[in-house]
């Protein structure tokens, strides 16, 4: 029955229209036992004896595929499944759902349940793919919600700091614009989103808005005794260099993430650096233009 279930799992295939994803490896103790039964002497032994022999010869392998009995005196048989790592989150999620459906349908068959003296516990689907697929899917679904919450929170804080709704909105525009342009470019180029790319919106917005705070507060202080053009010039001279140095330091830190072997970390470091560079341009070019037009 286990071998029959494995055959069904090997036949599974899902596709999002661009790529096809299948299970590349399906392995359990049943496969090891089948390989052992190819030898005449081993095939003559009872199944329990063959399993004890495998446990003695390959303890780590056997422990991974067949758990030790605990309080309920039940063994858990594990079927190890593998699929390609470089696949979209939607395909991973779809494959997990198909495997789960196949397991439930197979273990609900009378041919399966009649093998047990009492109803067995339901099959459980677990592992790295299941966890990571659910995590990436959730992060991708929440990215715009996080961006909206971050933007609203920053807008409220800027309103408290500047006491001016117009200046608060001006501070948000040059920092949100590079992020929107970055995500839009990724979409136009057909670049697949992953966990690293999904996190850049809220994180980059919070980092780059720091320059806007210093810029606007300096402008407001100078505006009390200077004309708007002179106040802008003072903010540009005094805050501009500090903003450049701070952004360069941040970019140097985040770009180091590109040395990682974990792809989402590399993507996060590269995109965060680009959006912070765009935020610097926005704070030194777009923000003064907005303030100048407003005044």
């Amino acid at each position: 029955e286990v071998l029959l279930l494995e055959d069904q799992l090997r036949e599974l295939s899902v596709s999002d229209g661009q790529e096809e994803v299948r299970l590349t490896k399906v392995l359990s103790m049943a496969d090891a036992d089948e390989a052992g039964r190819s030898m005449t002497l081993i095939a003559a032994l009872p199944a329990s004896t063959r399993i004890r022999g495998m446990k003695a010869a390959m303890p780590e392998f056997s422990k991974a595929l067949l758990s030790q009995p605990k309080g309920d005196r039940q063994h858990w048989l594990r079927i190890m499944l593998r699929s390609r790592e470089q696949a979209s989150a939607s395909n991973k999620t779809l494959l997990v759902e198909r495997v789960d459906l196949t397991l439930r349908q197979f273990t609900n068959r009378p041919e399966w349940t009649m093998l047990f003296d009492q109803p067995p516990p339901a099959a459980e689907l677990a592992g790295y793919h299941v966890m990571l697929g659910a995590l990436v899917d959730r992060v991708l679904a929440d990215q715009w919600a996080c961006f909206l919450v971050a933007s609203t929170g920053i807008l409220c804080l800027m309103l408290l700091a500047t006491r001016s709704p117009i200046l608060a909105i001006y501070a948000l525009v040059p920092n949100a614009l590079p992020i929107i342009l970055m995500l839009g470019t990724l979409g136009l180029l057909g670049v697949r989103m992953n966990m690293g790319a999904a996190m850049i919106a809220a994180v980059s917005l919070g980092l780059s808005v720091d320059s806007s705070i210093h810029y606007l507060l300096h402008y407001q202080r100078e505006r009390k005794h200077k004309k708007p053009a002179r106040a802008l010039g003072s903010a540009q001279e005094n805050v501009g260099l500090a903003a450049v140095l701070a952004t360069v330091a941040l970019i140097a830190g985040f770009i180091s993430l590109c040395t990682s072997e974990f792809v989402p970390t590399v993507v996060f470091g590269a995109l965060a650096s680009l959006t912070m560079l765009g935020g610097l341009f926005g704070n030194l070019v777009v923000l003064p233009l907005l303030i100048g037009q407003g005044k």
Side-chain angles (χ1 to χ4, degrees):
E1 284 292 309
V2 173
L3 292 174
L4 181 60
L5 172 59
E6 291 181 11
D7 289 338
Q8 292 188 13
L9 293 174
R10 292 188 184 98
E11 294 174 359
L12 292 180
S13 174
V14 299
S15 174
D16 60 359
Q18 296 182 350
E19 64 174 351
E20 183 182 40
V21 178
R22 310 174 64 93
L23 293 172
T24 59
K25 183 76 69 177
V26 180
L27 181 67
S28 75
M29 187 65 81
D31 297 288
D33 183 63
E34 185 182 37
R37 285 189 284 112
S38 63
M39 305 177 187
T40 305
L41 293 178
I42 296 180
L45 298 174
S48 57
T49 303
R50 295 197 300 268
I51 291 177
R52 282 198 298 269
M54 280 187 284
K55 286 183 177 180
M58 301 177 291
E60 295 300 324
F61 175 79
S62 301
K63 189 185 299 184
L65 296 181
L66 188 64
S67 70
Q68 296 297 321
K70 296 183 179 180
D72 55 6
R73 307 302 298 171
Q74 289 181 330
H75 287 279
W76 280 88
L77 176 71
R78 293 190 178 96
I79 302 177
M80 295 178 64
L81 308 176
R82 286 187 178 181
S83 66
R84 290 193 305 107
E85 178 63 29
Q86 297 296 330
S88 63
S90 59
N91 266 342
K92 287 182 180 179
T93 302
L94 186 57
L95 183 61
V96 168
E97 292 174 352
R98 289 288 303 276
V99 170
D100 187 47
L101 178 61
T102 301
L103 282 175
R104 286 189 283 108
Q105 290 178 341
F106 190 90
T107 54
N108 286 331
R109 295 163 52 249
E111 295 86 349
W112 178 265
T113 56
M114 67 182 295
L115 298 174
F116 302 87
D117 297 330
Q118 56 184 354
E124 297 180 5
L125 188 60
Y128 171 77
H129 252 2
V130 178
M131 178 190 70
L132 186 60
L135 176 63
V136 173
D137 188 56
R138 187 68 267 169
V139 170
L140 292 176
D142 290 345
Q143 62 173 328
W144 288 113
C146 293
F147 181 62
L148 179 62
V149 171
S151 300
T152 303
I154 289 173
L155 183 64
C156 293
L157 291 175
M158 291 301 300
L159 183 60
L160 290 174
T162 62
R163 301 290 195 276
S164 170
I166 298 299
L167 290 181
I169 295 174
Y170 286 168
L172 194 61
V173 172
N175 296 290
L177 187 60
I179 297 171
I180 295 173
L181 290 175
M182 175 65 68
L183 294 176
T185 303
L186 293 177
L188 289 174
L189 296 178
V191 178
R192 291 175 180 167
M193 294 290 289
N194 58 25
M195 190 166 56
M199 293 191 299
I200 65 166
V203 174
S204 299
L205 184 64
L207 290 171
S208 62
V209 78
D210 181 65
S211 299
S212 302
I213 296 173
H214 292 291
Y215 197 101
L216 289 175
L217 293 183
H218 184 94
Y219 170 78
Q220 284 187 311
R221 286 195 300 267
E222 295 297 313
R223 184 67 181 85
K224 293 177 182 178
H225 53 82
K226 291 182 180 179
K227 294 181 178 180
R230 297 286 300 275
L232 271 177
S234 177
Q236 196 79 355
E237 291 176 4
N238 291 276
V239 180
L241 179 59
V244 170
L245 294 177
T247 303
V248 169
L250 285 171
I251 291 175
F254 276 92
I255 205 70
S256 65
L257 297 177
C258 295
T259 61
S260 172
E261 295 182 359
F262 187 52
V263 174
T265 301
V266 176
V267 172
F268 176 73
L271 295 184
S273 299
L274 288 174
T275 52
M276 283 188 289
L277 188 61
L280 176 64
F281 177 82
N283 285 315
L284 297 184
V285 177
V286 178
L287 183 58
L289 291 175
L290 291 174
I291 297 175
Q293 289 293 327
K295 296 300 182 181

